[in-house]
Amino acid sequence: MRTSLTTTKHQRKFRRNRDAIRRAQIVQAIPAYTINSDPLLNEAEAAAYLSLSPATLSRWRSTHPDRLEFVKVGGSRIRYRRSVLDTFIVAHTVTDGRGVRK
């Protein structure tokens, strides 16, 4: 039996799909009801909401702390306000075709 050290195109596609399904499940698990109308999301929930990895959010916090506002709860726990994430999405929406490769 031959073992390969590189992943095949099928394996990479499977992993991308699996990760997308996991992100969607995390977003669906975010409670719709809250006492506050602007809930705080943990890093995994915020990453899934933005379709990013938690490592990306961590890197942004350390290299560009003003890119995406976050809240420190209890000293080390990081939370993101949903309204801040929505504002980030709106601010980075391309509507005039700039930045789109053809």
Side-chain angles (χ1 to χ4, degrees):
M1 185 168 162
R2 184 178 142 212
T3 59
S4 174
L5 296 177
T6 61
T7 58
T8 65
K9 184 177 181 181
H10 174 71
Q11 290 170 327
R12 287 190 303 270
K13 184 177 179 182
F14 174 79
R15 288 182 184 150
R16 276 195 311 270
N17 290 340
R18 181 193 61 203
D19 293 344
I21 290 169
R22 285 182 183 163
R23 284 192 300 269
Q25 289 170 340
I26 291 172
V27 169
Q28 288 173 354
I30 297 171
Y33 64 90
T34 56
I35 294 173
N36 184 357
S37 62
D38 190 13
L40 292 174
L41 306 179
N42 66 27
E43 189 174 23
E45 293 168 340
Y49 192 75
L50 295 174
S51 297
L52 298 171
S53 73
T56 299
L57 292 179
S58 177
R59 187 172 58 248
W60 285 359
R61 279 196 312 272
S62 63
T63 58
H64 307 286
D66 57 340
R67 178 176 284 179
L68 191 59
E69 293 177 10
F70 59 92
V71 178
K72 279 187 147 182
V73 179
S76 62
R77 289 188 239 171
I78 302 296
R79 299 291 186 260
Y80 293 91
R81 293 190 187 281
R82 185 178 281 177
S83 62
V84 170
L85 301 178
D86 290 334
T87 303
F88 179 81
I89 291 170
V90 170
H92 289 85
T93 301
V94 178
T95 58
D96 60 357
R98 289 181 298 149
V100 178
R101 291 185 179 171
K102 293 184 180 183

